[in-house]
Amino acid sequence: MSKVARIPGYQSKNPKQNRGIIGDREIRFKCSLQNVILDVLRGRPGWTEVPGPNSQVPAAQQGTRPSNQQTSGLTQTGNQSRPSLQSLPPIPRNSDGDWDFYWCDREWLHQNYDTMFLHEHQKILHFRNHYELTRKNLMVKNLKRLRKQTEREQGKTEAQSFDFYPTTYELPSEYHIFVEEFKKNLGIIWIMKPAAKSQGKGIFLFRRLKDITDWKKGEYQPLSDQTRDVPETYVVQRYIENPLLIGGRKFDVRVYVLVCSYNPLKVWLYRGGFARFSNTRFSLDSIEDTYVHLTNVAVQKNAPDYDPEKGCKWSTQQLRKYLAAKHGVDKVQKMFKAIDNIIIKSLQSVQKIIINDKHCFEMYGYDVLLDDDLKPWLIEINASPSLTASGKEDYDLKFGLISDLLNVLDLENRLTGKEKRIGGWDLLWDDGPIVADDNMDCTPANGAAVSTPNSYLGCFNDRKKQLREIYLTAQSVKKS
Ligand code: ADP
């Protein structure tokens, strides 16, 4: 590691001291993805790759370090301070399952979780039934249930704190209730989304019930698809017709949330993130135009006038600054507080359902849409947010995000376990709300102090400086 990047207390000069709970050996990782995550894992001091059936290391390369060019291709520009991978020791041959950390894909977990035995030290991405929160229909079902329970036990006012997801019905099962609701609100726009798809696939907007009747009989039904014997589950959702626009364009905000435990609920919120803009000016005249209405990068990058150099993203920090200047600090703080509420309430809605396992962790990508009154709406929660970088800035964000996630998990056992902030991650909830130690990390335009929750979404992220400080503190605490 170069001098610039070396974080005192983080990496000991004596390699044996880098091992932590694993004991006197390197931390062995497996990874199913070939993007920024692999660069982070391969570049992490004291960590070594274990090839296996899901590892992307070609057999011919096992036993040698693969070039970092094989992953994101952005390594050279992404983070100048990382060690040269070629200079690291070769990857040892290990049997499958012989790992300490596994960034697996969801399919692998589904196929193997029930039959695998996890050792004390092993950590794996995803909880067994993460789909309770990440399938669009189940997310809403769980939210509706907790909302009802809250209303029963704490009253209507408290239940209003769940007013952050648009009215949603599952189709075809709730078709009749939807039709009743549709008739009460003639003229509004609805959006249809396949419950288990992503990247904007299969989504369409409509105003007339006829459109959905056609859909009911049409291509999405089993009659036209011989491979399916049941209709595909969709959600129909009230379309947010008044999104906040910047430069006339719609956007949504990607927020990263880390859950290390569901019982007790322990939640970290990452400061960085981004806003994804649509490429075309917003208008309700052309509801069939996905380039206007869907902000997914997967959709926008196919727009005829999409400029890959400019992309369609702003950092959340840029967004926060812009909004504070335009709408005032108080309103913006209120909006960010409402995002915290979305995060906590949504996680609580599945807290008793998710199979808690101390070996598992989850990094969620929340998609939040702001309306023109700066009210945030929860659109969806992803269990596998994209970790492919679309440019240097995106690479740096994701590299820091994942490096700090590993710092939070702390397999090296170098921290005290009492930290409220680790790099860019702030502890938002630990069986209850976390209060900030100080309010100065996110000084708004007028210099006024921010709210007291330990929440800094879109705030300044001096992660390396902060890591230096906490590792030094932890070192001296451990010595004493
Ligand atoms: P996917 O999983 O396919 O990405 P999403 O639910 O995230 O599906 O929706 C894709 C995009 O469509 C969102 O990023 C957002 O721009 C837009 N969108 C989805 N639901 C709504 C809604 N209720 N109101 C307004 N825009 C929406």
Side-chain angles (χ1 to χ4, degrees), residues 419-439:
E419 290 80 7
K420 281 184 180 178
R421 179 184 169 194
I422 300 174
W425 291 100
D426 295 291
L427 184 60
L428 185 63
W429 192 270
D430 188 4
D431 210 13
I434 300 294
V435 175
D437 287 334
D438 65 72
N439 293 327

Side-chain angles (χ1 to χ4, degrees), residues 328-392:
V329 170
D330 290 349
K331 199 155 182 192
V332 170
Q333 275 175 16
K334 200 172 146 218
M335 187 270 279
F336 278 99
K337 226 173 153 179
I339 294 181
D340 295 347
N341 176 59
I342 291 178
I343 294 167
I344 297 305
K345 292 277 185 328
S346 57
L347 295 171
Q348 285 175 331
S349 77
V350 293
Q351 200 185 345
K352 294 200 177 112
I353 295 171
I354 296 278
I355 300 164
N356 192 50
D357 183 335
K358 65 178 179 182
H359 303 288
C360 302
F361 65 95
E362 199 79 68
M363 186 180 78
Y364 295 108
Y366 277 64
D367 289 342
V368 174
L369 187 75
L370 305 178
D371 71 18
D372 58 9
D373 195 29
L374 255 61
K375 175 181 164 64
W377 294 90
L378 175 60
I379 298 299
E380 81 157 337
I381 305 173
N382 298 282
S384 304
S386 166
L387 295 176
T388 302
S390 57
K392 183 187 178 310

Side-chain angles (χ1 to χ4, degrees), residues 136 166 191 193-194 197-201 203 237-241 250-252 276 293-296 367 369 379-380 382:
K136 296 175 178 66
I191 183 166
K193 309 192 265 190
K197 289 209 173 99
S198 60
Q199 302 192 324
K201 286 183 200 122
I203 297 184
Q237 189 169 74
R238 189 168 178 157
Y239 186 70
I240 308 295
E241 293 184 34
K250 173 180 171 174
F251 64 93
D252 68 359
R276 305 176 299 183
H293 298 282
L294 310 191
T295 49
N296 311 58
D367 289 342
L369 187 75
I379 298 299
E380 81 157 337
N382 298 282

Side-chain angles (χ1 to χ4, degrees), residues 68-231:
N68 51 19
Q69 295 299 322
Q70 285 176 303
T71 56
S72 65
L74 282 161
T75 310
Q76 299 309 323
T77 51
N79 188 326
Q80 307 293 355
S81 55
R82 275 174 294 117
S84 148
L85 294 178
Q86 274 74 13
S87 66
L88 293 173
I91 302 165
R93 285 171 190 275
N94 264 332
S95 61
D96 187 34
D98 202 4
W99 47 269
D100 306 303
F101 179 90
Y102 192 1
W103 194 280
C104 68
D105 54 65
R106 286 168 296 169
E107 290 68 32
W108 188 92
L109 193 90
H110 289 165
Q111 284 163 17
N112 295 282
Y113 182 88
D114 295 336
T115 52
M116 74 188 174
F117 173 80
L118 290 167
H119 293 276
E120 183 64 23
H121 60 273
Q122 286 183 304
K123 281 271 175 206
I124 188 160
L125 179 69
H126 303 308
F127 286 89
R128 170 70 181 88
N129 53 346
H130 63 83
Y131 48 79
E132 288 287 346
L133 201 54
T134 56
R135 273 185 71 129
K136 296 175 178 66
N137 54 334
L138 297 182
M139 176 188 90
V140 172
K141 191 175 112 198
N142 287 318
L143 281 167
K144 281 181 182 172
R145 194 192 42 244
L146 186 60
R147 182 199 183 112
K148 264 193 200 140
Q149 186 191 330
T150 307
E151 186 168 342
R152 238 185 0 256
E153 292 171 2
Q154 298 172 47
K156 275 206 159 99
T157 315
E158 193 53 38
Q160 279 170 5
S161 61
F162 284 85
D163 284 347
F164 54 75
Y165 56 93
T167 306
T168 307
Y169 299 97
E170 183 186 286
L171 294 185
S173 63
E174 296 181 320
Y175 181 72
H176 295 291
I177 324 175
F178 163 66
V179 172
E180 272 173 41
E181 187 67 22
F182 180 92
K183 287 179 180 161
K184 277 191 226 153
N185 296 285
L186 291 173
I188 69 165
I189 301 174
W190 296 85
I191 183 166
M192 280 281 276
K193 309 192 265 190
K197 289 209 173 99
S198 60
Q199 302 192 324
K201 286 183 200 122
I203 297 184
F204 64 94
L205 275 62
F206 66 95
R207 274 201 181 94
R208 300 168 310 168
L209 202 54
K210 183 183 170 313
D211 298 329
I212 197 172
T213 330
D214 290 349
W215 167 85
K216 249 193 117 202
K217 295 189 259 162
E219 60 184 289
Y220 300 95
Q221 297 306 297
L223 282 181
S224 61
D225 183 348
Q226 303 296 325
T227 60
R228 271 206 314 261
D229 53 3
V230 285

Side-chain angles (χ1 to χ4, degrees), residues 25 28 31 44 47 73 96 112-113 116-117 134 172 202 216 235 244 301 407-408 435-436:
R25 64 168 172 78
R28 300 153 311 170
C31 182
R44 195 162 175 92
W47 287 47
D96 187 34
N112 295 282
Y113 182 88
M116 74 188 174
F117 173 80
T134 56
K216 249 193 117 202
V235 294
L244 182 69
K301 70 178 182 202
N407 293 333
V408 172
V435 175

